[in-house]
Each structure stands twice: as C-alpha cells, then as structure tokens.
Amino acid sequence: MENVRRAGMPGLFAEVRDGDTTWRGAVGVADVDTGRPVTADMRHRVGSITKTFTAAAVLQQVESGRIGLDTPIGRYLPKLVPGERGDAITVRMLINHTSGLAEYLPYAYPSLKAFPVLADTGPQSMDDNRLTRFHPTELIGMGVTAPAVGAPGGTPGVYSNTNYLLLGELLEQVTGTTAERYITRNVIERAGLDHTEFPAGPYVDGPHSRIYEAWFGMIDPPRDYSVYDMSWVGPAASLISTVADLNRFFGMLLAGEIVRPSSLEQMQRTVPVVSQEGKVIDYGLGLHPTETPGQGTFWGHGGTVWGAGALSMASADGKRQMSVAVNLQRWNRLDSSGRPQPHPIDDALAALYRVAMYG
C-alpha cells in the first residue's frame, strides 16, 4: 500500500480477510490540503460495485417469480424500451451488458460527447453537473435513442450504465417501491451492512475522504468531487460503503446467503464484454472473475465515480477476500495518440491486488 502512495495515490485503505483472520490498513491522506490521514473505516463512494447489489436484488425477484430472466424487458417497461428492441432485449441481457444499448453518459455530459476518444473530451460538464438532479428515465431515454452498440444478445457485449438504470426501473415496477429502497431492505439490511447506503443528497455522511479527479491530466491539480449529486448513476453506481461492509457482502453472496445457490450459479455464467476501458472482460450477472494461472478464481466487482475508486474480490469459496478503496481517479495522462499512458500507480496497485488476493 505504501508503494501505491509513493507512486502518486493521495490515500488508500483496505481490508483483507483470510478465514477468521482480518487485516485492515490505511496509507496516505484523506485531504491533500490539511494532511488529514485516511483511516480503514472510512465510508467511500464505491461506484459500479453497486451493480452487484442491483443484480442480486433482481435475482431475488426472479426467485419469487415476479421477474423472468429471459423475459423481454418490453413486457415490463414498454414505454422505456419500445417496439422490436423491447421484444428482443431480455432482463438477462441488461444484467450482463449484452443488450446493445448505448451508454447515456456522453449525452448527459456534453464535454464527454467524444467518448471513447479521450483526447476530445474535457472535464467541464463534470463541474457543471455537481448538483444536477437527473431523473433516471431521462438518462435511459438518452441511452435508448442513441445508436445501438450491438445487437441484442450479441457478444462481446458493451458495458453500459443504461442497462442498470433500466434494472432499477424494473425493480420499481415489480416491487412497487423505489429500487434504492428495495435494495436497502432486501440486500443491504439482509446482509447486515451498517455503513452501506444510497446517498439521499450530494454529501457522504460520516468519516470519509475527499476524492480527487484528474481526468487524464486535464484537471491539474486534481479536483475534489466528494460533494456530488449521484443521481447521474443511481442504482448503477451511487452506493456508499466501507471496505469491511464490501467484504461482508461478497462473502455472504458467494455463500448463497443473499440469493439462492442456483441464482449465484447464474451470476457466475459469463460472457465477453467490452469494459469502459476498452478491454474485453468476462462478465456474469453483476459479477466478474479474476483468474491468475495456478491460483484460484476470485469473483467480485470494481467501481469508479468522479474521484473515487474501489475493488472488492472474494475467492470462489469465500474464504479469502480483499476490498481496496482509492481517492484519486484517471491518473494516466494521454500520449500523443490519445491513449492513456502507463503510470507507476497501475503497477503498484496490481501488485497490491496480487498480494491481497493470493498472499
């Protein structure tokens, strides 16, 4: 962890569990101006790790018979995904990102319109939207009307937050309560997570770090985005949690205590998906595996929002777990061809993950 800080990360904190043994640590600062240190119990925006919680909630509703995994989304939400696409895109395709629906973010944030051509993007609209209250159906509309990124069910799929906002609307449709409220009651509280919640406003309650966004060197020095309205990602990426809560959640999920073992099996059936970084990864239903030759498979999810990042992975048997949180994002500057350049933080973090997972 000290190596990650030396490589340029302001602050990071982690928890590693191995059977009955738990290790927690924190290195660096939570505020670059005051030098206030990070601590391992801080609450943190965990980004797309939220997707695992949302996927688990949908699978609970599949178990109760209210949602069909292979039922077309148009059957439930005909106004949001109308016509032939509504008939062709199933609930499963939304959860594993094979729907072909585009990412709404470049349409909601005008300065990101050129994404994935990073050199032509800029951070201006991130600032402009600090306190913007988006409505999920407005964002979904942007993703649905944008040009499709693939045929429904085609692989590789393309990772898209539009899918998970639709899953939020689906949960609301079948449960009669908001996705956030349903997930809080039936996933977060069921797992006994005392420090995990959807934010009600732009603030993180309790002890937390400032979070710094560099947007590929275009924000220099990196800017603090710890006060931010998270309605731009809702049930796709807005959760606040702690490294201890994340480990508890993934441990219980892999033990079949959040969804049934048969549902967990579905979650671990993967397809190739193009990540937001442009890499092809194996992705299941809100879970993805990490495999190292000669070592066991770990399952979990990573997440980033403006300024904050986290990764939580657990061995298939649930005995070894790691959750790591960092308070700087998009530290790589772009080279002359517009691609992110390697940065010492990348290697230092990869080494930390290896040691945390495999000892």
Side-chain angles (χ1 to χ4, degrees):
M1 288 176 74
E2 190 54 57
N3 289 343
V4 180
R5 186 194 66 78
R6 275 200 286 265
M9 180 61 63
L12 66 157
F13 42 105
E15 182 188 86
V16 178
R17 296 183 180 189
D18 194 348
D20 297 330
T21 310
T22 299
W23 177 92
R24 281 189 199 108
V27 171
V29 298
D31 186 326
V32 297
D33 295 328
T34 66
R36 173 171 61 94
V38 283
T39 57
D41 60 351
M42 282 183 159
R43 306 180 84 215
H44 196 65
R45 298 199 190 277
V46 299
S48 286
I49 294 174
T50 309
K51 289 183 173 69
T52 313
F53 287 73
T54 300
V58 172
L59 281 154
Q60 288 175 356
Q61 290 298 301
V62 171
E63 291 169 3
S64 72
R66 289 197 193 93
I67 292 174
L69 257 187
D70 296 303
T71 302
I73 191 62
R75 198 94 42 93
Y76 303 104
L77 303 169
K79 289 189 176 136
L80 290 178
V81 193
E84 286 178 17
R85 283 167 105 192
D87 295 336
I89 295 170
T90 65
V91 173
R92 184 192 300 273
M93 290 171 201
L94 295 174
I95 313 178
N96 69 11
H97 297 292
T98 57
S99 69
L101 292 170
E103 173 62 60
Y104 60 78
L105 199 53
Y107 301 91
Y109 280 67
S111 69
L112 305 185
K113 192 152 181 41
F115 188 86
V117 184
L118 296 173
D120 295 341
T121 64
Q124 184 52 50
S125 52
M126 287 178 217
D127 246 17
D128 297 342
N129 285 312
R130 262 180 201 267
L131 299 176
T132 302
R133 195 86 191 141
F134 287 105
H135 194 278
T137 56
E138 171 193 2
L139 298 171
I140 289 166
M142 295 173 187
V144 171
T145 55
V149 292
T155 55
V158 177
Y159 191 95
S160 168
N161 285 300
T162 307
N163 294 318
Y164 275 73
L165 291 198
L166 275 163
L167 293 170
E169 294 302 299
L170 171 63
L171 279 170
E172 184 165 342
Q173 174 79 21
V174 300
T175 65
T177 186
T178 65
E180 286 83 356
R181 206 167 295 142
Y182 177 85
I183 294 165
T184 299
R185 280 191 207 137
N186 295 279
V187 180
I188 295 170
E189 290 174 5
R190 184 168 174 172
L193 310 181
D194 295 333
H195 304 288
T196 301
E197 66 178 359
F198 286 99
Y203 297 95
V204 178
D205 294 331
H208 63 280
S209 172
R210 292 184 181 274
I211 50 179
Y212 298 98
E213 179 60 51
W215 195 254
F216 307 103
M218 295 180 212
I219 309 177
D220 191 15
R223 196 170 295 143
D224 169 23
Y225 279 135
S226 49
V227 176
Y228 211 98
D229 187 301
M230 299 303 291
S231 58
W232 65 284
V233 278
S238 68
L239 264 191
I240 294 164
S241 192
T242 62
V243 287
D245 268 11
L246 290 178
N247 279 342
R248 180 178 172 86
F249 168 70
F250 280 102
M252 291 180 74
L253 181 69
L254 291 172
E257 293 174 36
I258 309 290
V259 297
R260 291 177 194 156
S262 57
S263 295
L264 181 63
E265 211 175 289
Q266 294 282 349
M267 292 180 84
Q268 293 175 316
R269 279 174 55 183
T270 65
V271 292
V273 167
V274 180
S275 74
Q276 283 182 319
E277 291 76 41
K279 299 187 182 91
V280 177
I281 59 170
D282 291 322
Y283 197 92
L285 302 184
L287 277 178
H288 63 81
T290 296
E291 290 169 280
T292 299
Q295 307 277 10
T297 301
F298 275 65
W299 290 91
H301 213 290
T304 72
V305 290
W306 311 137
L311 179 65
S312 191
M313 302 299 289
S315 58
D317 60 11
K319 293 208 171 89
R320 178 91 176 189
Q321 294 181 268
M322 70 138 207
S323 290
V324 179
V326 298
N327 64 2
L328 171 70
Q329 279 304 298
R330 284 159 282 273
W331 50 78
N332 308 77
R333 290 175 178 267
L334 303 179
D335 62 20
S336 55
S337 64
R339 282 193 297 266
Q341 292 176 306
H343 190 287
I345 290 175
D346 303 324
D347 291 339
L349 265 180
L352 169 62
Y353 296 151
R354 266 198 309 277
V355 171
M357 284 193 278
Y358 304 116

